C-alpha cells in the first residue's frame, strides 16, 4: 500500500522548535516531488515547503525559520520548525507528487484552497497538529 505517515506534531510555546517527520511506504522519494502543506481553521491551505531534484523552496511566511530535508535511505522527509509563532498553528500534511513515475511527466506540488489530494498522481498523509501558544 502506498502511504505517507506524519509524526512529530504537538504543542510548543512561541519561540520553540518542533521537527515533523513523514515516512513513506510502498514507494520511494527518488522520483517524487515532496512537500509540506498546512491548514488552520478558516484559512486556505498553504504550501509551506517543497523539496525535489530542483532543490528546496519555502513559503514567505516560514522562510528563514523552517528547513525541509529528506533521508532517502530511511524514506523519510523532515520539516524542522524553529522560532515558531502562534500563527504557525495548523494541521500539517506531507504530500508527494508521483507524476514522474506514474505518468512519465513531472508535475510539482501546487497551491490549493483545501489541503487534500486532488489527483491519483499524489499521495497525502493524514496530517499532524501543531499548536503554538503565545
Amino acid at each position: 500500500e502506498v502511504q505517507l505517515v506524519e509524526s512529530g506534531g504537538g504543542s510548543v510555546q512561541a519561540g520553540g522548535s518542533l521537527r515533523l517527520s513523514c515516512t513513506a511506504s510502498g514507494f520511494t522519494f527518488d522520483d517524487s516531488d515532496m512537500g509540506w502543506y498546512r491548514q488552520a481553521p478558516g484559512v486556505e491551505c498553504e504550501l509551506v515547503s517543497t523539496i525535489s531534484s530542483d532543490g528546496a523552496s519555502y513559503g514567505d511566511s516560514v522562510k528563514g525559520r523552517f528547513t525541509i530535508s529528506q533521508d532517502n535511505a530511511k524514506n523519510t522527509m523532515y520539516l524542522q520548525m524553529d522560532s515558531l509563532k502562534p500563527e504557525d498553528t495548523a494541521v500539517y500534511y506531507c504530500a508527494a507528487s508521483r507524476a514522474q513515475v506514474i505518468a512519465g511527466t513531472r508535475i510539482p506540488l501546487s497551491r490549493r484552497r483545501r489541503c487534500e489530494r486532488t489527483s491519483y498522481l499524489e499521495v497525502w498523509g493524514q496530517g499532524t497538529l501543531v499548536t503554538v501558544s503565545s
Side-chain angles (χ1 to χ4, degrees):
E1 181 183 4
V2 173
Q3 64 177 354
L4 292 170
V5 178
E6 302 104 334
S7 61
S11 298
V12 64
Q13 289 192 327
S17 298
L18 282 174
R19 188 177 79 157
L20 305 183
S21 300
C22 172
T23 300
S25 59
F27 73 102
T28 62
F29 289 168
D30 293 12
D31 295 315
S32 303
D33 283 36
M34 304 294 300
W36 291 93
Y37 291 83
R38 68 184 183 186
Q39 188 152 33
V43 179
E44 284 194 1
C45 182
E46 179 181 3
L47 181 54
V48 173
S49 181
T50 64
I51 187 166
S52 68
S53 56
D54 290 340
S57 68
Y58 299 92
D60 288 342
S61 63
V62 305
K63 205 170 291 184
R65 300 188 298 121
F66 289 12
T67 304
I68 192 171
S69 62
Q70 64 184 51
D71 184 335
N72 288 344
K74 295 182 178 180
N75 229 23
T76 299
M77 176 177 66
Y78 305 97
L79 185 68
Q80 177 66 42
M81 305 185 294
D82 298 318
S83 302
L84 282 162
K85 304 175 181 179
E87 50 263 44
D88 293 318
T89 296
V91 177
Y92 285 71
Y93 300 87
C94 67
S97 171
R98 303 187 64 226
Q100 183 66 53
V101 173
I102 296 174
T105 185
R106 184 176 165 220
I107 302 175
L109 293 170
S110 61
R111 297 178 179 178
R112 59 203 66 199
R113 296 188 70 178
R114 296 178 63 181
C115 284
E116 60 187 10
R117 178 177 179 236
T118 57
S119 166
Y120 74 99
L121 300 173
E122 297 178 347
V123 184
W124 280 66
Q126 80 287 356
T128 186
L129 177 63
V130 172
T131 303
V132 184
S133 58
S134 57

